[in-house]
Short mmCIF file of all heavy atoms in Angstrom, two decimals:
data_model
loop_
_atom_site.label_atom_id
_atom_site.label_comp_id
_atom_site.label_asym_id
_atom_site.label_seq_id
_atom_site.Cartn_x
_atom_site.Cartn_y
_atom_site.Cartn_z
N GLN M 1 88.73 98.72 110.89
CA GLN M 1 88.22 98.14 109.60
C GLN M 1 88.81 98.91 108.37
O GLN M 1 89.04 98.07 107.44
CB GLN M 1 86.64 98.26 109.71
CG GLN M 1 85.99 97.48 110.80
CD GLN M 1 84.50 97.94 110.87
OE1 GLN M 1 83.98 98.77 110.35
NE2 GLN M 1 83.78 97.06 111.68
N MET M 2 88.98 100.09 108.37
CA MET M 2 89.33 100.80 107.10
C MET M 2 90.78 100.56 107.02
O MET M 2 91.21 100.49 105.73
CB MET M 2 89.12 102.39 107.37
CG MET M 2 87.67 102.80 107.10
SD MET M 2 87.12 102.28 105.57
CE MET M 2 88.15 103.27 104.42
N ARG M 3 91.59 100.29 108.05
CA ARG M 3 92.97 99.88 107.82
C ARG M 3 93.12 98.55 107.04
O ARG M 3 93.79 98.50 106.12
CB ARG M 3 93.73 99.72 109.16
CG ARG M 3 94.25 100.90 109.88
CD ARG M 3 95.42 100.78 110.66
NE ARG M 3 95.14 99.59 111.62
CZ ARG M 3 94.71 99.87 112.83
NH1 ARG M 3 94.40 101.07 113.35
NH2 ARG M 3 94.56 98.82 113.74
N THR M 4 92.25 97.72 107.42
CA THR M 4 92.07 96.44 106.63
C THR M 4 91.74 96.69 105.20
O THR M 4 92.39 96.01 104.27
CB THR M 4 91.16 95.52 107.31
OG1 THR M 4 91.53 95.15 108.69
CG2 THR M 4 91.13 94.03 106.64
N GLU M 5 90.81 97.63 104.97
CA GLU M 5 90.27 97.87 103.57
C GLU M 5 91.44 98.46 102.87
O GLU M 5 91.58 98.08 101.58
CB GLU M 5 89.15 98.71 103.64
CG GLU M 5 87.80 98.16 104.18
CD GLU M 5 87.41 96.84 103.62
OE1 GLU M 5 87.57 96.85 102.25
OE2 GLU M 5 87.02 95.95 104.21
N ILE M 6 92.23 99.34 103.32
CA ILE M 6 93.34 99.90 102.68
C ILE M 6 94.36 98.90 102.26
O ILE M 6 94.97 98.96 101.20
CB ILE M 6 93.80 101.12 103.50
CG1 ILE M 6 92.87 102.24 103.55
CG2 ILE M 6 95.23 101.63 102.84
CD1 ILE M 6 93.22 103.35 104.46
N ILE M 7 94.64 97.96 103.31
CA ILE M 7 95.77 96.92 102.94
C ILE M 7 95.20 96.10 101.75
O ILE M 7 95.98 95.71 100.77
CB ILE M 7 95.88 95.93 104.18
CG1 ILE M 7 96.63 96.94 105.25
CG2 ILE M 7 96.72 94.75 103.90
CD1 ILE M 7 96.60 96.07 106.63
N LYS M 8 93.91 95.73 101.76
CA LYS M 8 93.41 95.02 100.58
C LYS M 8 93.59 95.80 99.31
O LYS M 8 93.83 95.22 98.27
CB LYS M 8 91.95 94.61 100.88
CG LYS M 8 91.72 93.60 102.07
CD LYS M 8 90.28 93.28 102.20
CE LYS M 8 90.05 92.34 103.32
NZ LYS M 8 88.47 92.20 103.64
N LEU M 9 93.17 97.11 99.42
CA LEU M 9 93.12 97.89 98.24
C LEU M 9 94.43 98.02 97.55
O LEU M 9 94.64 98.01 96.31
CB LEU M 9 92.59 99.37 98.70
CG LEU M 9 92.64 100.40 97.54
CD1 LEU M 9 91.65 100.07 96.46
CD2 LEU M 9 92.43 101.84 98.21
N ARG M 10 95.56 98.17 98.37
CA ARG M 10 96.81 98.40 97.63
C ARG M 10 97.36 97.12 96.96
O ARG M 10 98.08 97.31 96.06
CB ARG M 10 97.87 98.71 98.75
CG ARG M 10 98.25 97.76 99.84
CD ARG M 10 99.34 96.68 99.43
NE ARG M 10 100.49 97.18 98.79
CZ ARG M 10 101.59 97.51 99.29
NH1 ARG M 10 101.74 97.26 100.61
NH2 ARG M 10 102.70 97.82 98.61
N HIS M 11 96.74 95.96 97.30
CA HIS M 11 97.07 94.77 96.47
C HIS M 11 96.25 94.66 95.16
O HIS M 11 96.49 93.75 94.31
CB HIS M 11 96.96 93.47 97.36
CG HIS M 11 97.91 93.51 98.43
ND1 HIS M 11 99.30 93.44 98.23
CD2 HIS M 11 97.73 93.38 99.81
CE1 HIS M 11 99.91 93.24 99.40
NE2 HIS M 11 98.99 93.35 100.37
N ARG M 12 95.17 95.45 95.18
CA ARG M 12 94.27 95.38 93.92
C ARG M 12 94.47 96.48 92.88
O ARG M 12 93.94 96.25 91.78
CB ARG M 12 92.85 95.36 94.53
CG ARG M 12 92.47 94.24 95.32
CD ARG M 12 91.05 94.11 95.74
NE ARG M 12 90.10 93.85 94.56
CZ ARG M 12 88.91 93.64 94.53
NH1 ARG M 12 88.31 93.78 95.66
NH2 ARG M 12 88.24 93.37 93.42
N ILE M 13 95.19 97.56 93.26
CA ILE M 13 95.45 98.52 92.30
C ILE M 13 96.87 98.80 91.97
O ILE M 13 97.69 98.66 93.08
CB ILE M 13 94.78 99.87 92.71
CG1 ILE M 13 95.31 100.32 94.04
CG2 ILE M 13 93.22 99.68 92.87
CD1 ILE M 13 94.79 101.82 94.34
N ASN M 14 97.42 99.00 90.94
CA ASN M 14 98.81 99.25 90.56
C ASN M 14 99.18 100.75 90.77
O ASN M 14 99.15 101.52 89.81
CB ASN M 14 99.05 98.67 89.19
CG ASN M 14 98.82 97.32 89.09
OD1 ASN M 14 99.12 96.45 89.80
ND2 ASN M 14 98.22 96.86 87.85
N THR M 15 99.49 101.12 91.87
CA THR M 15 99.97 102.47 92.19
C THR M 15 100.83 102.50 93.30
O THR M 15 100.93 101.61 94.15
CB THR M 15 98.70 103.40 92.41
OG1 THR M 15 99.03 104.72 92.42
CG2 THR M 15 98.01 103.16 93.71
N THR M 16 101.49 103.68 93.50
CA THR M 16 102.43 103.89 94.54
C THR M 16 101.69 104.62 95.74
O THR M 16 100.96 105.66 95.40
CB THR M 16 103.66 104.64 94.14
OG1 THR M 16 104.25 103.89 93.15
CG2 THR M 16 104.59 104.88 95.31
N PHE M 17 101.81 104.36 96.89
CA PHE M 17 101.06 104.96 98.08
C PHE M 17 102.00 105.74 98.89
O PHE M 17 103.16 105.25 99.30
CB PHE M 17 100.43 103.91 98.94
CG PHE M 17 99.13 103.30 98.41
CD1 PHE M 17 99.16 102.41 97.39
CD2 PHE M 17 97.90 103.67 98.91
CE1 PHE M 17 97.98 101.76 96.90
CE2 PHE M 17 96.77 103.09 98.47
CZ PHE M 17 96.86 102.17 97.49
N ILE M 18 101.66 106.96 99.21
CA ILE M 18 102.41 107.77 100.23
C ILE M 18 101.29 108.17 101.21
O ILE M 18 100.21 108.83 100.84
CB ILE M 18 103.02 108.97 99.68
CG1 ILE M 18 103.96 108.61 98.53
CG2 ILE M 18 103.91 109.62 100.78
CD1 ILE M 18 104.75 109.72 97.91
N TYR M 19 101.43 107.70 102.46
CA TYR M 19 100.48 107.82 103.51
C TYR M 19 101.01 108.62 104.71
O TYR M 19 102.02 108.28 105.14
CB TYR M 19 99.93 106.45 103.89
CG TYR M 19 98.75 106.28 104.83
CD1 TYR M 19 97.50 105.87 104.25
CD2 TYR M 19 98.85 106.55 106.13
CE1 TYR M 19 96.49 105.63 105.01
CE2 TYR M 19 97.79 106.36 106.92
CZ TYR M 19 96.56 105.98 106.45
OH TYR M 19 95.48 105.91 107.35
N VAL M 20 100.17 109.54 105.13
CA VAL M 20 100.55 110.36 106.30
C VAL M 20 99.75 110.06 107.60
O VAL M 20 98.50 110.09 107.37
CB VAL M 20 100.52 111.94 105.96
CG1 VAL M 20 100.41 112.77 107.20
CG2 VAL M 20 101.81 112.37 105.11
N THR M 21 100.30 109.89 108.76
CA THR M 21 99.60 109.67 109.86
C THR M 21 100.45 110.14 111.07
O THR M 21 101.64 110.11 111.02
CB THR M 21 99.15 108.23 109.95
OG1 THR M 21 98.41 107.97 111.16
CG2 THR M 21 100.31 107.31 110.09
N HIS M 22 99.64 110.38 112.16
CA HIS M 22 100.51 110.60 113.42
C HIS M 22 100.17 109.38 114.36
O HIS M 22 100.75 109.21 115.38
CB HIS M 22 99.82 111.79 114.20
CG HIS M 22 98.39 111.61 114.58
ND1 HIS M 22 97.40 111.92 113.68
CD2 HIS M 22 97.83 111.18 115.72
CE1 HIS M 22 96.21 111.66 114.37
NE2 HIS M 22 96.51 111.21 115.57
N ASP M 23 99.42 108.37 113.84
CA ASP M 23 99.14 107.11 114.64
C ASP M 23 100.17 106.01 114.22
O ASP M 23 100.14 105.58 113.05
CB ASP M 23 97.71 106.71 114.22
CG ASP M 23 97.23 105.52 115.01
OD1 ASP M 23 98.10 104.75 115.57
OD2 ASP M 23 96.09 105.32 115.14
N GLN M 24 100.90 105.77 115.09
CA GLN M 24 102.11 104.76 114.81
C GLN M 24 101.48 103.33 114.57
O GLN M 24 102.09 102.55 113.97
CB GLN M 24 103.24 104.69 115.92
CG GLN M 24 102.66 104.56 117.35
CD GLN M 24 103.04 103.11 117.84
OE1 GLN M 24 103.63 102.32 117.07
NE2 GLN M 24 102.76 102.85 119.18
N THR M 25 100.30 103.05 115.10
CA THR M 25 99.68 101.80 114.87
C THR M 25 99.38 101.62 113.40
O THR M 25 99.60 100.69 112.70
CB THR M 25 98.56 101.50 115.64
OG1 THR M 25 98.74 101.63 117.00
CG2 THR M 25 97.80 100.15 115.38
N GLU M 26 98.83 102.81 112.80
CA GLU M 26 98.58 102.73 111.37
C GLU M 26 99.85 102.57 110.53
O GLU M 26 99.88 101.84 109.57
CB GLU M 26 97.87 104.00 110.94
CG GLU M 26 96.41 104.17 111.32
CD GLU M 26 95.86 105.51 110.84
OE1 GLU M 26 96.34 105.99 109.87
OE2 GLU M 26 94.86 105.91 111.44
N ALA M 27 100.82 103.29 111.10
CA ALA M 27 102.23 103.18 110.25
C ALA M 27 102.65 101.82 110.31
O ALA M 27 103.23 101.28 109.24
CB ALA M 27 103.22 104.09 110.89
N MET M 28 102.69 101.12 111.45
CA MET M 28 103.29 99.77 111.62
C MET M 28 102.38 98.78 110.79
O MET M 28 102.94 97.82 110.28
CB MET M 28 103.27 99.31 112.97
CG MET M 28 104.23 100.29 113.92
SD MET M 28 105.98 99.90 113.62
CE MET M 28 106.23 98.30 114.48
#
């Protein structure tokens, strides 16, 4: 659910994202 929320968020705010994870599903 939160992955979906973050995807929506990045389209609503004008900023550059750098995201760290060990989960390749999140990365993809």
Side-chain angles (χ1 to χ4, degrees):
Q1 292 176 351
M2 284 301 299
R3 278 206 310 268
T4 303
E5 294 301 321
I6 291 173
I7 292 171
K8 292 178 182 177
L9 175 66
R10 66 82 47 99
H11 292 297
R12 298 188 65 175
I13 63 175
N14 295 320
T15 191
T16 302
F17 282 75
I18 307 178
Y19 188 104
V20 160
T21 181
H22 64 274
D23 185 336
Q24 55 109 354
T25 301
E26 284 182 28
M28 295 289 283

